[in-house]
Amino acid sequence: MTSNDQLLAWQSRTAWRPLRWILAVVITAVVVWSFSGTGVGLASLIEGRTGAAQMVSGLFPPDLDAELLTRVAAAMVETVQISVAALVFGAVIGLPLAVMMAGNVQAPRWLSAVARGIATMLRSVHELLWALLFVATVGLGPAAGVYAISLHSAGVLAKLCSEQLEAVDPAPVETMRLTGGSRLTTALLAIIPQSRAHLASQVLYQWECNIRSSVVIGFVGAGGIGQALGVALHLFRYQELATLVASVVILVIGVDWISKIFRSRLGAASGRVTDTASRPLRSLLGRSTR
């Protein structure tokens, strides 16, 4: 680097220094404003210590009645059913949107814009609001929960999976285009195979999120263990509530364990993903260039 380049770099850093201080002050002011506006602080925690102590003391010992445990087991099964059905619906909607949104797929601009708008709309509406809408239309029960979670998860999957598609190695993609491959062929043979393990990992992680979401939307009557939690909380059955909370923790740990096993099998966290995913592609391109 010459002396002129060093001088220019020093001048650039000097010019940005006041802006960094201004940005730091603005961020600090926003944080302080947010804390003061929401009443978050040690004082609010101290004021609520009496109610918290009463609730914690009421949780022990958990209710282990056989009839309750049977109902809890049935609610856990229903929660898993909701999460799996919502995952399937969400993937069916979200993955095609992800392919259309990915920049390296080079879908027509109008199609990509429509897909991006749909995905943004789906994930912008919280599952709880979707659940309220579907409870009002299809009635109380797990079906409303499935529809609510699937729409939100479709929007989330579309965004996250499109980013995974855009992060693949561009060399095989360009090679496929140079050999005359169409947009669809390039997507199916050069883009998706490279990212399939990461796509599967995103889908599995969304399943974990669906479990947690199904617990939340159960409070508005969308079925699952969340509905039982809402009833126990409203009726101040704290010992029953403790049993239900423990079942939620066990369920989430179990799903996380199963998901981790599948992700390790797929090699989503290893460096072998690109090699194993692109091996059929390299073989095809090798034959095409002979």
Side-chain angles (χ1 to χ4, degrees):
M1 181 180 292
T2 64
S3 57
N4 289 335
D5 293 335
Q6 293 177 346
L7 179 61
L8 290 175
W10 178 81
Q11 290 176 344
S12 177
R13 289 195 299 269
T14 304
W16 276 100
R17 192 170 298 166
L19 294 178
R20 291 175 182 173
W21 281 105
I22 294 173
L23 182 61
V25 171
V26 170
I27 292 175
T28 304
V30 170
V31 171
V32 172
W33 169 71
S34 300
F35 273 76
S36 62
T38 55
V40 175
L42 187 60
S44 61
L45 293 175
I46 294 174
E47 290 177 2
R49 67 185 184 279
T50 303
Q54 291 177 352
M55 175 174 285
V56 171
S57 62
L59 293 174
F60 298 98
D63 190 352
L64 299 179
D65 181 70
E67 182 181 354
L68 174 62
L69 293 178
T70 302
R71 288 192 284 114
V72 170
M76 291 175 69
V77 170
E78 188 173 69
T79 299
V80 173
Q81 290 173 332
I82 291 172
S83 66
V84 172
L87 181 66
V88 173
F89 276 118
V92 168
I93 299 172
L95 294 180
L97 290 176
V99 174
M100 290 184 282
M101 289 167 55
N104 52 356
V105 174
Q106 295 183 354
R109 287 188 177 181
W110 67 267
L111 185 60
S112 178
V114 170
R116 193 173 299 276
I118 293 173
T120 301
M121 185 270 295
L122 292 178
R123 71 174 180 272
S124 297
V125 180
H126 196 272
E127 299 102 324
L128 197 58
L129 180 53
W130 282 123
L132 289 171
L133 295 175
F134 281 109
V135 165
T137 54
V138 302
L140 299 172
V146 171
Y147 298 142
I149 298 175
S150 62
L151 290 184
H152 181 80
S153 62
V156 174
L157 283 174
K159 177 174 176 57
L160 297 180
C161 292
S162 67
E163 293 174 353
Q164 293 292 341
L165 292 171
E166 291 174 344
V168 301
D169 183 5
V173 180
E174 294 301 322
T175 304
M176 177 62 71
R177 290 200 174 100
L178 290 174
T179 58
S182 64
R183 293 170 178 172
L184 180 60
T185 303
T186 303
L188 293 177
L189 297 180
I191 299 176
I192 295 177
Q194 290 191 78
S195 59
R196 62 186 179 190
H198 293 298
L199 294 178
S201 180
Q202 291 289 353
V203 171
L204 288 170
Y205 176 70
Q206 188 60 44
W207 181 37
E208 300 176 32
C209 296
N210 287 356
I211 289 286
R212 301 181 185 94
S213 299
S214 63
V215 174
V216 175
I217 65 172
F219 280 84
V220 296
I225 202 168
Q227 190 166 341
L229 275 168
V231 172
L233 187 61
H234 290 148
L235 297 179
F236 304 103
R237 298 175 181 169
Y238 291 138
Q239 292 179 322
E240 180 178 333
L241 182 65
T243 304
L244 291 167
V245 171
S247 67
V248 171
V249 173
I250 293 172
L251 185 60
V252 171
I253 291 174
V255 170
D256 179 68
W257 178 71
I258 295 172
S259 178
K260 186 176 181 180
I261 291 175
F262 275 104
R263 283 199 296 266
S264 64
R265 293 283 184 179
L266 291 168
S270 69
R272 296 191 304 270
V273 173
T274 303
D275 293 337
T276 56
S278 59
R279 191 177 300 149
L281 173 63
R282 291 200 302 267
S283 176
L284 175 65
L285 293 177
R287 290 197 302 267
S288 65
T289 54
R290 288 173 184 170

